[in-house]
Amino acid sequence: MPPSTTHERGKPRRGSETRKRKASLGFRASPEEQAQIQATADRAGLTLSSYIRSRALEKPTTRAVRRPPVATAQLAQLLGMLGAAGGAVQRIAGLPDASAAAEAEAQAALAAIRQAASAILQALGKRAHDY
């Protein structure tokens, strides 16, 4: 193997040892500035390093978006929570000792959960499922 891909001891190099970007640059920022920069990077769907690199260079060399923006991640998490709540409501409605009024309330709650889930899916740019 060429020397650039192995250590002196013959072991293959790890990813962090073969990266092209080896220099670490830094600057001081107030906590407010740091929070603002991190929030902007999150909204752009970039890591902090990628965001700062893209803003500092005339020709950004950042990778494609590697993670969803914060709002998208939060909506996806909320969608999962709604699914869990809907499952719990269905289990409660299916109990043998449930009254007709409890069954009707459970069905109304399920309809509201489905409507909220459809709105979240639409906000995420996905097609809502037909129930």
Side-chain angles (χ1 to χ4, degrees):
M1 287 186 179
S4 63
T5 59
T6 60
H7 286 294
E8 301 94 37
R9 297 183 191 126
K11 294 181 181 179
R13 290 182 180 230
R14 303 284 181 211
S16 62
E17 298 165 342
T18 59
R19 289 189 180 124
K20 291 180 184 177
R21 295 183 178 126
K22 294 185 181 199
S24 176
L25 304 176
F27 64 94
R28 296 188 187 279
S30 70
E32 295 81 19
E33 291 170 330
Q34 181 184 7
Q36 183 179 2
I37 294 169
Q38 183 66 57
T40 307
D42 288 341
R43 281 193 301 275
L46 297 171
T47 63
L48 187 60
S49 295
S50 291
Y51 175 74
I52 292 171
R53 188 178 302 111
S54 73
R55 298 293 295 188
L57 300 174
E58 289 181 23
K59 291 183 178 178
T61 58
T62 60
R63 296 179 186 171
V65 175
R66 298 185 325 174
R67 58 184 180 175
V70 173
T72 302
Q74 289 173 336
L75 284 173
Q77 185 178 17
L78 182 59
L79 189 61
M81 293 166 68
L82 275 174
V89 170
Q90 280 184 323
R91 283 190 297 279
I92 291 169
L95 292 175
D97 60 344
S99 67
E103 177 72 26
E105 284 187 41
Q107 291 305 320
L110 284 172
I113 288 172
R114 288 183 183 123
Q115 186 177 10
S118 293
I120 292 171
L121 284 169
Q122 186 177 9
L124 290 172
K126 300 183 185 241
R127 187 168 171 250
H129 301 291
D130 297 330
Y131 290 100

